[in-house]
């Protein structure tokens, strides 16, 4: 598995240089220009690391980082963040670290230095091939059993099928309708509330085993998504 890096930078020249340098390292890069795009991305599937510019068309990278550090989702609180600060703006660097960034680099920077910093952060955040060997959630395709961080889960048949449906679409939102059709079948009498109830009990069982993780994310009005952060797989 390759680490995915979120790059929030509105200057196309800088973004292009950085993306090129990262991709040459074999990292996957998701480039966004707006704070709200970064927000949407991390909530759908947290990356292994985020590189944030400070001044952005619809907001500020520092506030975004500060917001993540106070988030209810532990994956955002612990997401490694590197801030790209403007040249010579000492205040930005101080604020960056105060906002909870793990590192910063002042513009203009050498792509090689950025790559070295990012590599160090990824290593520090326990990203390693061995960590990725134990998936956070694994469901055997026959649908007979599911493992959470290598430990078997004690699930009912429907909970197992529900987890399997979310797991197959990991990182993407599944609507209640899609879950009903896939898990309960097209002709059943179950409704949206049935889905919510089963998600609730499934969540409780996951939490019982791993209180530090909450991999099922509710997207209000849309449905549910299973989010599998590689960086927390072995913890
Ligand atoms: Ca900018």
């Amino acid at each position: 598995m390759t680490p995915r890096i979120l790059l929030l930078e509105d200057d196309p020249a800088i973004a292009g240089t950085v993306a090129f340098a990262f991709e040459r390292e074999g990292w996957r890069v998701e480039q966004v220009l707006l704070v709200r795009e970064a927000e949407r991305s991390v909530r759908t599937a947290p990356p292994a690391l985020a590189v944030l510019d400070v001044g952005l068309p619809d907001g500020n990278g520092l506030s975004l980082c500060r917001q993540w550090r106070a988030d209810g989702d532990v994956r955002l609180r612990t997401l490694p963040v590197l801030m790209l600060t403007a040249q010579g703006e000492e205040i930005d660097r101080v604020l960056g670290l105060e906002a909870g960034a793990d590192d910063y680099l002042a513009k203009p920077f050498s792509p090689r230095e950025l790559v070295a910093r990012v590599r160090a952060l990824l290593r520090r955040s326990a990203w390693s091939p061995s960590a990725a060997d134990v998936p956070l959630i694994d469901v055997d395709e026959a649908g007979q059993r599911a493992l959470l961080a290598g430990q078997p889960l004690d699930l009912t048949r429907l909970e197992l099928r529900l987890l399997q449906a979310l797991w197959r679409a990991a990182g993407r939102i599944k609507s209640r309708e899609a879950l009903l059709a896939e898990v309960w079948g097209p002709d059943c009498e179950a409704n949206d509330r049935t889905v919510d109830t089963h998600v609730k009990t499934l969540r409780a069982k996951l939490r019982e085993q791993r209180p530090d993780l909450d991999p099922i994310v509710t997207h209000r009005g849309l449905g549910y998504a299973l989010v599998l952060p590689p960086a927390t797989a072995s913890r």
Side-chain angles (χ1 to χ4, degrees):
M1 285 175 77
T2 19
R4 187 169 55 89
I5 298 175
L6 177 71
L7 172 61
L8 172 59
E9 167 63 69
D10 62 324
D11 181 321
I14 297 175
T17 307
V18 170
F20 180 75
F22 285 178
E23 278 159 4
R24 211 171 37 190
E25 292 298 306
W27 302 333
R28 279 195 295 147
V29 185
E30 185 182 352
Q31 261 187 73
V32 293
L33 306 177
L34 299 174
V35 168
R36 65 167 180 275
E37 293 171 325
E39 264 293 84
R40 196 184 311 135
S41 168
V42 296
R43 302 217 176 253
T44 313
L49 180 141
V51 174
L52 307 180
D53 181 27
V54 175
L56 294 149
D58 67 336
N60 181 304
L62 289 168
S63 322
L64 182 62
C65 183
R66 198 173 295 122
Q67 198 179 311
W68 288 347
R69 294 314 185 220
D71 200 273
D73 186 337
V74 67
R75 289 163 304 194
L76 296 190
R77 289 204 301 277
T78 58
L79 176 67
V81 171
L82 186 146
M83 298 288 322
L84 296 177
T85 67
Q87 182 181 18
E89 285 181 29
E90 190 61 36
I91 187 84
D92 271 4
R93 303 179 197 181
V94 174
L95 284 175
L97 297 176
E98 273 179 7
D102 299 279
D103 202 356
Y104 63 84
L105 203 51
K107 294 177 185 175
F109 52 82
S110 88
R112 190 177 293 182
E113 165 138 38
L114 178 60
V115 163
R117 304 268 192 119
V118 166
R119 196 184 293 125
L121 283 178
L122 287 173
R123 205 178 297 135
R124 216 198 293 167
S125 76
W127 173 275
S128 72
S130 63
D133 284 348
V134 179
L136 180 60
I137 287 180
D138 203 4
V139 183
D140 83 55
E141 274 300 326
Q144 298 306 310
R145 65 178 203 149
L147 304 173
L148 176 63
Q151 297 300 309
L153 283 159
D154 183 18
L155 303 178
T156 66
R157 191 179 54 87
L158 279 171
E159 287 160 359
L160 187 58
R161 292 182 59 168
L162 179 60
L163 181 61
Q164 189 179 26
L166 291 167
W167 175 75
R168 284 202 188 117
R172 302 196 302 274
I173 300 174
K174 291 283 272 189
S175 68
R176 290 177 175 81
E177 296 72 40
L179 289 169
L180 274 175
E182 198 172 327
V183 178
W184 280 266
D187 304 321
C188 74
E189 311 235 315
N191 57 31
D192 286 7
R193 201 158 304 159
T194 316
V195 178
D196 294 341
T197 309
H198 282 80
V199 167
K200 199 172 161 189
T201 57
L202 176 58
R203 263 194 183 133
K205 288 186 177 178
L206 296 174
R207 205 159 37 226
E208 207 174 287
Q209 205 154 312
R210 287 294 297 262
D212 55 325
L213 305 170
D214 193 9
I216 301 177
V217 178
T218 308
H219 292 270
R220 200 177 277 268
L222 296 174
Y224 297 100
L226 183 69
V227 174
L228 302 175
T232 59
S234 69
R235 284 181 204 159

